[in-house]
Structure formats: C-alpha cells, structure tokens
Amino acid sequence: MNVTLTVNGKTYTRDVEPRTLLVHFIREDLGLTGTHVGCDTSQCGACTVHVNGDAVKSCTLLAVQAQGADITTIEGLGTPGDLHPLQTGFWEEHGLQCGFCTPGMIMASAELLKHNPNPTEDQIRHHLEGNYCRCTGYHNIVKAVQHAAGAMQGASQAADD
C-alpha cells in the first residue's frame, strides 16, 4: 500500500506492507533512528513521536493508519546547532545515562509542556508514567523537564517584552 506522511516537515510517499508499524517505517524506510524500538507492546515509550501534535507510541500505530499525518520525531525537535530546550535540559541536568529512553522521554515531555508550561514535579512524573527508564531513577529527568519549562517561559516572556 502507498502511504504519504509528512515527517519533520518533509513529505514522503512509500509503498509499505499493510502491517508495517509506524516505528519501523520511521526507522527502516526513512532512516530516522532516533525513534527507538524498545518493547513493541506500548509499554516502554521509547518509540514516542508526535502525530498531528500529540505524543503517540509509534509501535501502536500502523504506518497506513498515519496516512496524511504530520509526524515529528526527535530529529525534528531541534538541530545540533539549535537544541530544543528539553534537549538542553536533559544535557544540563544529566537527565540521561544510557540514552535509550531519552528520545521518547523528550517527545512525551514536549507534549506536556505544550499543554502545561509550568508543571509540578508530580505532574511531570504522572505524565511520564508510560515511559520507562531503567538507569536514572527519574529524578534528573524531572529536573530536566523543569529546566526546560523555565527556559521556555523565559523565552516566551522575552518575546512578549
């Protein structure tokens, strides 16, 4: 089946098997390997991307179900020269160790900050419940999200001035 998706601002049309998961389409067909395959059962969140602005575990969606969607992966969130505040927050606050969960954590956190620009620690922890990290214990991940929230609020206030 043909599927057409816009991924990180670029439109792609590919012929895919109807049973191809979106995560495999992103990684194998498009070569965007920042979206990780962790469990294939929607338990870990390593494959989280944004589909039409909402955080979605891409192992739960077939590529053909995403027909016409606008998808953002971790590669589309920032650039090496202009990191997204969440990427900077994870760097500054040591919110990663092995890094395997980090793209999914950042994508889930970006959705949270879109809807709640100043979340509490409990709100951050609750929002990230579907994303597993086996290394950090989450403390520094929460600090990274708080760091990003502050940076984004500061940028927003500067733009308003």
Side-chain angles (χ1 to χ4, degrees):
M1 295 182 75
N2 271 337
V3 64
T4 300
L5 308 170
T6 302
V7 181
N8 300 330
K10 185 176 177 186
T11 302
Y12 298 90
T13 300
R14 297 285 192 279
D15 184 33
V16 298
E17 289 286 327
R19 64 181 181 212
T20 302
L21 293 173
L22 181 59
V23 67
H24 295 298
F25 177 82
I26 290 168
R27 289 181 57 81
E28 296 164 16
D29 288 63
L30 303 184
L32 299 171
T33 58
T35 303
H36 294 157
V37 178
C39 66
D40 271 339
T41 61
S42 78
Q43 300 298 309
C44 73
C47 66
T48 303
V49 299
H50 293 177
V51 178
N52 297 326
D54 296 322
V56 173
K57 293 177 182 177
S58 59
C59 74
T60 66
L61 193 63
L62 298 171
V64 296
Q65 290 176 297
Q67 170 63 31
D70 183 22
I71 297 169
T72 304
T73 68
I74 190 70
E75 291 91 346
L77 204 57
T79 65
D82 185 25
L83 296 177
H84 185 278
L86 278 162
Q87 293 167 319
T88 301
F90 271 70
W91 176 266
E92 295 290 330
E93 298 296 333
H94 309 286
L96 63 140
Q97 285 184 17
C98 81
F100 191 81
C101 72
T102 304
M105 287 285 186
I106 288 174
M107 297 306 287
S109 298
E111 179 190 47
L112 170 64
L113 295 180
K114 179 174 82 172
H115 298 294
N116 183 355
N118 190 25
T120 65
E121 179 179 339
D122 286 341
Q123 289 169 325
I124 294 167
R125 288 181 182 276
H126 178 73
H127 190 81
L128 294 177
E129 282 178 352
N131 291 74
Y132 292 152
C133 175
R134 289 175 172 87
C135 299
T136 68
Y138 301 95
H139 181 71
N140 287 349
I141 292 171
V142 172
K143 286 175 41 180
V145 175
Q146 292 170 325
H147 182 277
M152 293 167 75
Q153 286 177 344
S156 175
Q157 289 172 354
D160 291 342
D161 290 340

